[in-house]
Amino acid sequence: MTTALCSISDIQDPGSKAFQLAHNSKIFDIFVIHKDGEFYAFINSCPHTGVNLEWLDDQFLDRDHTFIQCATHNALFEIDTGQCIHGPCTGEKLTPVKIEIIDNSLIINLDISFL
Ligand code: FES
C-alpha cells in the first residue's frame, strides 16, 4: 500500500507526526520522525504492550530529541533503527515502515502482509 502522507515541510526538524491510514476497513497507526534532515517511519505500537507511543499529539521524541520515547513506561528507542536501548522492552525493536521523498512529499510503502 503506497500512500502520500504530507509535504516534507509539514514536520519540523527535529519533530514528529502521527498518521492513521485506512486499508480494507482496518486502521493502521504510524508515525514519522524528522531528525537532522532525515525521515524515519514506524508502526505506532510499543513492543512492550502494543500501545501507541506518543506523549501528546505528534510528540514521540524525548526532551533532547535524541530518542523516541514511549509515554507509558518511558522506553527509549534509537531514531534511526527503532531499537529499544532502555526500558522494559530493551533489545526489541519498533516496526519500521519504508519511506521516501518524491517531489517534496513523504511517501510510505506499508507492507500490510506482516501486520
Ligand atoms: S508500553 Fe511502551 S514501555 Fe511499556
Side-chain angles (χ1 to χ4, degrees):
M1 179 173 71
T2 301
T3 303
L5 294 177
C6 64
S7 168
I8 58 173
S9 62
D10 290 338
I11 307 176
Q12 292 182 339
D13 184 357
S16 54
K17 190 170 181 60
F19 297 89
Q20 280 195 330
L21 306 175
H23 183 73
N24 286 344
S25 70
K26 289 185 177 177
I27 301 293
F28 300 97
D29 290 317
I30 70 164
F31 65 96
V32 176
I33 303 293
H34 189 188
K35 179 75 187 293
D36 297 334
E38 301 289 335
F39 290 90
Y40 309 90
F42 300 93
I43 299 294
N44 189 1
S45 176
C46 180
H48 183 211
T49 68
V51 299
N52 290 358
L53 287 93
E54 64 266 45
W55 294 88
L56 298 168
D57 288 349
D58 299 324
Q59 299 295 316
F60 291 86
L61 295 173
D62 66 352
R63 289 180 195 272
D64 297 334
H65 304 128
T66 303
F67 295 101
I68 298 164
Q69 185 167 11
C70 178
T72 303
H73 304 113
N74 299 322
L76 298 175
F77 302 87
E78 294 177 335
I79 292 171
D80 56 343
T81 67
Q83 183 81 38
C84 181
I85 53 88
H86 175 81
C89 45
T90 298
E92 298 186 62
K93 291 182 74 172
L94 298 170
T95 302
V97 176
K98 185 177 179 188
I99 192 165
E100 59 185 332
I101 299 171
I102 299 177
D103 295 333
N104 290 324
S105 292
L106 288 177
I107 309 293
I108 63 145
N109 189 346
L110 187 60
D111 180 2
I112 59 171
S113 63
F114 67 87
L115 300 175

